[in-house]
Amino acid sequence: METLKLRSQELKTRGPKLAVPAKAEFRGTVKIHGTNATLVFRDCDNLADVTIQSRNKVLVVGLANGDNHGTAEFLAGVPLERLAQLVFGEKKAKFKTMVIAGEFAGKGVMKGVGISQLERFFMVFNICIDDLWQDMGRHPGVALPQYRVFNIMQYKTFRVTINLYTDTTAVEHQMMTYTQDIGHECPVAKALGGSGPGEGIVWTMLVPIRHHNRRILGFKTKDERFLGTAYAPRIPPQTPVANTMIAEESNTPVDDFVNYAVGERRLEQGVEYMMEMGIPLKMENVNRFNRWVINDTLKEESEQMKDLKVHPTFICVKIGNLAGVWFDKYLKSLQAGGKQSQM
């Protein structure tokens, strides 16, 4: 299970409106294994004026334009102005900027999960109005099922209470149990007529509406098959051996960290990033691939890196070497399978 370590002292320093209570309730929704897509509305008088963005760029219809898995093409067939109006019900839409965040998934988008066998769809999972994140429990109807636009709140959800000042072992076990259930059978895939495993759960803290300002506190738990790491975090050594970071043996702290942090899924995500950005999958672009894997690892695994007391410089070299070898083998596998490595 992949979880975010919640440090109450750090969270409390963000100010009274962002302070985390000693005990907080979290709602879990099924994590959709697809590609992120965000709808940005900037004119409340013209809801048809919408920009479609992936995590890293604006999407334009046409694979030649870098349309991520055909996301923009799919959404071009959806009356997005109707979807936006559903946020406000019968009232007139009023905002400076509204964001509807979701995941585009289904056949040909990702693999290894139950929903990857379904016809493509867009799943709404977050809404932000003028920088204020909304409680999705109040917006379960923001969906257009006839256009295969669904809302994550219409499917199975979970609840846990986390006390940041006591032992969290029991609640972690409960979250792991829920996550394993999702890994065994995805309730979204089942509800939509399919079957197969799910990726995991997204947990969001439920707080009074006055606290729903510019940040939302959440984290993910994933089935082991979808972790970016090679295995679950291990307890760091009690006494690291001095100066072993520059040794060549395979049991140094640097090797331990890299072997843990750089799993197959993280490397695959690097390929997905290159495809999203329209970067040709060629060996001449290996440095761009390596850079993404290094940056993602340092960002996502900073706590484990601190626990193992290893220096980022040595880690970057090791990750770059590992990622480069993997990328070369990946390209050769594409060629052997007769697939194009050119976007």
Side-chain angles (χ1 to χ4, degrees):
M1 183 177 71
E2 184 178 67
T3 60
L4 175 68
K5 294 181 180 178
L6 302 178
R7 296 183 296 276
S8 58
Q9 284 302 111
E10 290 185 10
L11 294 169
K12 288 175 68 177
T13 62
R14 295 180 181 177
K17 290 187 177 181
L18 292 174
V20 176
K23 181 183 291 186
E25 189 174 12
F26 286 77
R27 178 174 59 217
T29 53
V30 178
K31 187 178 187 305
I32 301 300
H33 190 39
T35 185
N36 183 269
T38 299
L39 312 177
V40 183
F41 301 84
R42 295 187 175 88
D43 186 350
C44 63
D45 294 319
N46 181 16
L47 297 180
D49 182 12
V50 55
T51 300
I52 302 171
Q53 300 177 185
S54 68
R55 198 177 299 278
N56 297 291
K57 67 175 186 177
V58 173
L59 298 179
V60 180
V61 175
L63 294 178
N65 296 321
D67 185 7
N68 195 20
H69 295 286
T71 305
E73 182 179 9
F74 174 89
L75 291 171
V78 177
L80 297 177
E81 68 278 9
R82 286 174 53 187
L83 184 70
Q85 183 58 51
L86 288 172
V87 176
F88 302 93
E90 299 297 324
K91 299 179 181 178
K92 185 184 184 306
K94 289 186 178 181
F95 59 82
K96 293 181 180 179
T97 302
M98 181 173 71
V99 170
I100 297 179
E103 199 84 357
F104 181 58
K107 291 181 179 178
V109 180
M110 293 296 172
K111 60 183 180 180
V113 290
I115 60 173
S116 62
Q117 306 303 315
L118 301 174
E119 293 301 319
R120 294 184 174 195
F121 63 91
F122 180 71
M123 182 68 74
V124 174
F125 61 73
N126 254 331
I127 298 171
C128 184
I129 301 175
D130 294 335
D131 293 329
L132 304 180
W133 290 99
Q134 306 299 300
D135 179 0
M136 285 303 295
R138 296 169 177 255
H139 297 285
V142 180
L144 295 170
Q146 64 271 43
Y147 294 95
R148 297 193 65 76
V149 175
F150 307 119
N151 188 305
I152 198 62
M153 293 306 300
Q154 295 183 5
Y155 302 92
K156 187 173 183 178
T157 61
F158 307 85
R159 292 286 184 100
V160 296
T161 300
I162 301 177
N163 190 330
L164 299 176
Y165 294 96
T166 62
D167 183 12
T168 59
T169 301
V171 70
E172 287 182 30
H173 177 75
Q174 184 64 69
M175 288 189 291
M176 181 178 292
T177 299
Y178 289 147
T179 303
Q180 290 172 342
D181 289 343
I182 294 292
H184 177 70
E185 181 70 52
C186 175
V188 173
K190 185 175 181 180
L192 294 176
S195 64
E199 183 183 11
I201 300 175
V202 178
W203 299 94
T204 304
M205 189 176 75
L206 301 178
V207 296
I209 197 66
R210 65 180 180 277
H211 292 316
H212 274 254
N213 287 321
R214 303 181 189 280
R215 299 181 187 179
I216 50 176
L217 177 62
F219 58 95
K220 304 169 188 175
T221 55
K222 293 184 180 181
D223 184 79
E224 289 186 358
R225 286 167 290 184
F226 302 99
L227 291 177
T229 58
Y231 49 82
R234 295 174 179 169
I235 299 174
Q238 295 297 316
T239 309
V241 180
N243 298 324
T244 55
M245 291 185 294
I246 58 176
E248 291 299 322
E249 289 79 4
S250 61
N251 60 342
T252 67
V254 170
D255 289 315
D256 287 344
F257 173 80
V258 173
N259 290 337
Y260 150 75
V262 187
E264 186 81 5
R265 180 65 194 129
R266 175 159 282 129
L267 295 163
E268 290 174 347
Q269 287 173 329
V271 172
E272 291 164 10
Y273 166 78
M274 293 182 71
M275 294 176 65
E276 176 187 348
M277 299 304 293
I279 303 170
L281 298 179
K282 292 186 173 183
M283 202 60 198
E284 64 193 52
N285 292 320
V286 65
N287 287 338
R288 299 181 72 174
F289 173 78
N290 291 351
R291 191 180 308 119
W292 186 93
V293 175
I294 290 169
N295 291 340
D296 186 69
T297 303
L298 295 181
K299 179 182 71 174
E300 297 293 334
E301 308 300 333
S302 60
E303 289 300 316
Q304 189 75 357
M305 185 173 66
K306 291 177 183 177
D307 289 343
L308 287 171
K309 297 180 173 61
V310 289
H311 195 281
T313 300
F314 300 109
I315 289 174
C316 291
V317 173
K318 285 281 186 179
I319 294 176
N321 291 339
L322 185 153
V325 171
W326 184 92
F327 190 66
D328 181 50
K329 291 180 179 178
Y330 176 80
L331 295 183
K332 289 178 179 177
S333 71
L334 289 183
Q335 294 169 358
K339 296 181 180 180
Q340 294 285 336
S341 61
Q342 171 78 37
M343 290 296 297

